[in-house]
Structure formats: structure tokens, C-alpha cells
Amino acid sequence: MLSDSLKVFITVADKKNFSKAAKALNLTQPAISFQIQTLEQYYQTKLFDRINRHVKLTETGELLLEYALSMSDLQSELERKMQQLTGHVKGQLMIGASRTVGEYVLPYVICKFKEDYPDVDVTLEIYNTKHVEENVLNRYLDIGLVESDIRNKELFFQDILSDELVLVVPKDHRWAGLEELSIEELKGEPFIIREAGSGSRLVFEQALIDAEIDVEDLNVIMEIGSITSIKSAIINGLGVSIMSKWAVRDLEQAGMAATLRIKNLELKRPFSIILNQGNFESEACNKFIRYLGEVTEKEIFEHI
């Protein structure tokens, strides 16, 4: 169908690369090439110029993209209004989340949402905050959920839950049992930090800046992009780290780690919904946003 080819075309135009578009759409690269060739034959024009490994829209490609995006929005609007009239919510919902909210908050929320709306196909993809923002901006994601401040003016955001970063230490650490300690005491301790671009790291580094402390003053021994790997390193005595209260709850309940606060560091933050203000929201997306607004922190916390 021509509509399938237009969906592929929009994705290639966004990704500027056939293989990246294939990965995003879960298709093979030959399938992507076939759909673009189908459009080029239909309109009797070349839609992309190939430049090294990337592609660039031609003048006719730019025109088609303008109309293809409008057609996509009209189709989404039709779907939403039909679902509002019939009360039958269905379709696909692409959700992207940064690691903490994606691994510890959303699984429970999505399961509960699916109980009420079984005909909505939900896909959850987990990246760091920077990549979630990028994929909401390029319309690959319907909705994003992240853990740090949003600065891009093209994105609409709304806070939904609160979070706090805490210092996590092994159960038998000399600090276990303390409620708080100073940043000066932390400076010599082997410290594990999240990867650049993560929401947790951004919040922690901003708190250090506000307290006029340089992150280089810490004894950083590892930079790890996996929350699970950081937790494993902590309980095996390799170092300590700053982590969300949501992510460390299981370790505390199992008696494998302890948490404490750092004096004079503001490490509280919200979890936020982000949306592309230029993207049309489906009825499934609207229902999910409403669902997120109604779920309580206590309810989620009891199920992680």
C-alpha cells in the first residue's frame, strides 16, 4: 500500500540513512529500498540523493515529506476521533524512557494500562535522557519519560512523579547505618558514575556545580551505562554510587545495600512526560498520559 511506503519514506527522511530506518521500523534494508523505489516509480522522480552512507532529500523529496507528514497527522486525527466515538481504543504506542523510569516505573504502569486497553500495542524502548529527547523530536516516539530537566523548546513536558538520588553503599560498608555524610568525606571513596547523557549524571553534576564542587575532585574509578551493572559493582564492594531511590529499593529490601544522603547537595528531581508539540497525539497516547497522571507513587513503589 502507498501509505506503508510513505511511512518508510518519512522514517528514511528523518534518519537520513537506510540501515537506521530499517532498524527503527524492524525491516530489512532491501525492504526499505523497495518501498522508496516504489514511491520514486509512482511519482516518476528521484526522492533522495545518496551522499556517502547518508541520504539527503531532493527538492521533490522535500515536497513529498511536507504532504506525507500532513497525511500522517490527518490519519492519526481520524483514528482518534473514530475511537472517541466508538469507545474502542486501539493502535500502536511507542514509548521511550530513560533508564531509571523505564526499568523500574513503567513496567508496572504499562501492565496495568494493558488490562484496561488490551488492543493497544505498546512498545517500550530504553535509552539515556538525551536519546529519548532526540527520538521524541524526530517523531519516532509518541511519548517520552525522562529523569532530568528538558531544555528544548520544541518539547512539551509535564512532571508526573518525584525522585531523589541517594548515595548507595554495600551493606557492610563503614557508612551503612548513617543518614548522611559530607561531600568532603565522599571525595576519597572509589566512586562509580553513570555515562555521559544520563539523567542521573546530569542532576548529580548540576548539584555539584551548585555546591561549587568539581566532579574531578571525586575518585571516579568506573563509568557505567547500566544500572544493573552499577548495582552489581556496589554489592561486590567495588565502589559506591549515586542512584535513584526507585532503582535501589530491591537492594535495600534484600539487605544487600544501604542508602544515605549527602549534606548540602540538592538531589531531588521529577520524572517528566515529554511530547513533541508538532506531533499529533493518538487516542492511545492521550489515554496513557491520563493513566500516568492517575497512578500514585505509593502504588508503583509497592510493586518494584
Side-chain angles (χ1 to χ4, degrees), residues 92-130:
Q92 293 184 323
L93 183 60
M94 289 290 296
I95 302 172
S98 47
R99 300 191 193 282
T100 301
V101 67
E103 293 179 10
Y104 297 95
V105 175
L106 281 180
Y108 169 74
V109 176
I110 290 172
C111 285
K112 296 297 289 182
F113 177 78
K114 286 285 290 180
E115 288 177 8
D116 291 338
Y117 302 103
D119 292 330
V120 177
D121 295 324
V122 181
T123 300
L124 171 63
E125 298 193 0
I126 297 176
Y127 323 93
N128 64 30
T129 296
K130 179 183 177 183

Side-chain angles (χ1 to χ4, degrees), residues 10 46 52 57-58 71 131 143 163 170 177 180 216 271 294:
I10 291 170
K46 187 178 180 182
N52 296 325
L57 286 167
T58 61
M71 290 164 67
H131 289 132
I143 181 173
D163 185 29
E180 61 180 13
E216 293 183 0
F271 288 153
E294 293 172 352

Side-chain angles (χ1 to χ4, degrees), residues 162-256:
S162 63
D163 185 29
E164 182 179 10
L165 300 181
V166 292
L167 181 66
V168 187
V169 303
K171 63 177 182 179
D172 54 357
H173 194 280
R174 66 186 184 281
W175 293 338
L178 296 179
E179 291 187 2
E180 61 180 13
L181 80 162
S182 69
I183 190 68
E184 293 299 323
E185 294 174 89
L186 181 61
K187 284 183 178 180
E189 194 71 12
F191 190 82
I192 303 163
I193 197 166
R194 282 286 303 276
E195 83 283 6
S198 82
S200 297
R201 178 162 171 171
L202 289 170
V203 170
F204 180 54
E205 289 183 340
Q206 186 59 54
L208 292 177
I209 291 170
D210 293 342
E212 299 182 347
I213 297 165
D214 194 325
V215 69
E216 293 183 0
D217 291 340
L218 300 179
N219 180 24
V220 177
I221 61 165
M222 283 187 284
E223 180 178 303
I224 301 178
S226 163
I227 295 174
T228 301
S229 297
I230 293 176
K231 290 162 72 173
S232 178
I234 292 171
I235 63 177
N236 282 289
L238 299 181
V240 302
S241 188
I242 292 291
M243 189 173 292
S244 165
K245 67 178 184 180
W246 299 84
V248 75
R249 179 168 169 78
D250 59 340
L251 295 186
E252 286 190 289
Q253 288 181 319
M256 302 171 72

